[in-house]
Amino acid sequence: MKHKILIAADQNSAINDLVKQTLGLLNEVDTKLFSLCLLDAQFEKKLAVAGAAGQHNKPDLISTIEFELNFDEAACQWSNVEVVKDAFGTSSLKSVSTVADLLVVDMKVLLHDYGLKTLKELLKRVDCPVLLISEHLVIDNLVIVHSGSTGIVSGVKHFLNLFATSLRDLPVSVYVSDPESGTHIDNEKAFISYLKLFFNDIGIQLIHGNIQDNLFETVSRQSPSSLVIMDKQVSNLLVTKKGEMADKFTSFIYNKEY
């Protein structure tokens, strides 16, 4: 089986490290076809100027070509990687993402050079699962957020299909919200039963009250070594009210519509 992986990066991204980190998290069986998504061509980049309002710049042709060559050089170091440069134009990004299995985002570069609004816009433009790689990429536990939406079920299935099986041996914290109905309770029970088929060390944690107000306060008490798995509904919190959490954890977002 082949998986198509998009990488969102720019001239400041360490492409070789991104490829290495991504391959380290994904399963070793399937072939990975990498496609470059150049952030500079998609969004206006902030240019910090002391004592002045933020400015923006666009990459010139030479910078873009140099970046492509750097990407080629890095990717050639890894087996089963093909570079397919078809995700440059703004109009094509949506189409390319609909057939992609994953979009990898370098959060250190994106938040520093572009800002949280760009992350929000990027999640709107793409229609595929998204992996937000934080600067602290040492995974020793998983957090799965079940807010009552069925999207997280599809998200976990995609995670199990795409990511390394070794991650299933890690401790898993399942965050559940206060049930609103008997159906909600049944859904949570069925979901936990499904998780037990794949994960051996599972703990359940109830988020009291409004999940929008309390989710990331609860997540913040976890180790920064967590990999947080969420659906599109929960990810909206990541880029709005609790956006300060966006760069603290590596996150897998099932960003597809359902």
Side-chain angles (χ1 to χ4, degrees), residues 72-120:
D72 287 338
E73 181 179 354
C76 286
Q77 298 183 32
W78 307 99
S79 61
N80 297 327
V81 174
E82 178 183 67
V83 181
V84 184
K85 303 186 189 70
D86 56 0
F88 287 97
T90 301
S91 61
S92 66
L93 180 58
K94 181 74 172 181
S95 298
V96 171
S97 67
T98 59
V99 296
D101 296 289
L102 188 68
L103 169 69
V104 179
V105 180
D106 182 350
M107 289 300 292
K108 179 181 178 181
V109 168
L110 187 139
L111 291 181
H112 181 270
D113 293 350
Y114 300 87
L116 190 63
K117 290 183 178 180
T118 296
L119 172 60
K120 184 177 181 179

Side-chain angles (χ1 to χ4, degrees), residues 179-200:
E180 299 175 353
S181 64
T183 300
H184 191 157
I185 295 175
D186 290 341
N187 289 341
E188 287 183 352
K189 288 181 178 179
F191 182 64
I192 298 302
S193 296
Y194 176 73
L195 292 179
K196 289 180 178 179
L197 296 175
F198 302 96
F199 303 101
N200 296 319

Side-chain angles (χ1 to χ4, degrees), residues 210-217 237 241-242:
N210 190 328
I211 191 171
Q212 295 185 0
D213 294 328
N214 300 317
L215 171 61
F216 288 104
E217 282 81 354
L237 307 178
K241 186 172 183 179
K242 298 299 178 183

Side-chain angles (χ1 to χ4, degrees), residues 128-224:
C128 68
V130 178
L131 176 66
L132 307 180
I133 293 186
S134 70
E135 186 175 1
H136 181 86
L137 185 59
V138 179
I139 308 300
D140 61 19
N141 67 92
L142 305 179
V143 172
I144 301 176
V145 183
H146 185 283
S147 62
S149 167
T150 58
I152 189 60
V153 179
S154 298
V156 169
K157 289 181 177 179
H158 194 89
F159 178 86
L160 292 170
N161 180 53
L162 188 61
F163 283 74
T165 56
S166 59
L167 294 176
R168 304 180 190 182
D169 296 327
L170 298 177
V172 179
S173 296
V174 183
Y175 289 2
V176 297
S177 57
D178 285 321
E180 299 175 353
S181 64
T183 300
H184 191 157
I185 295 175
D186 290 341
N187 289 341
E188 287 183 352
K189 288 181 178 179
F191 182 64
I192 298 302
S193 296
Y194 176 73
L195 292 179
K196 289 180 178 179
L197 296 175
F198 302 96
F199 303 101
N200 296 319
D201 186 1
I202 298 178
I204 312 300
Q205 193 164 348
L206 177 64
I207 299 178
H208 295 285
N210 190 328
I211 191 171
Q212 295 185 0
D213 294 328
N214 300 317
L215 171 61
F216 288 104
E217 282 81 354
T218 305
V219 173
S220 66
R221 292 194 292 269
Q222 289 286 124
S223 162

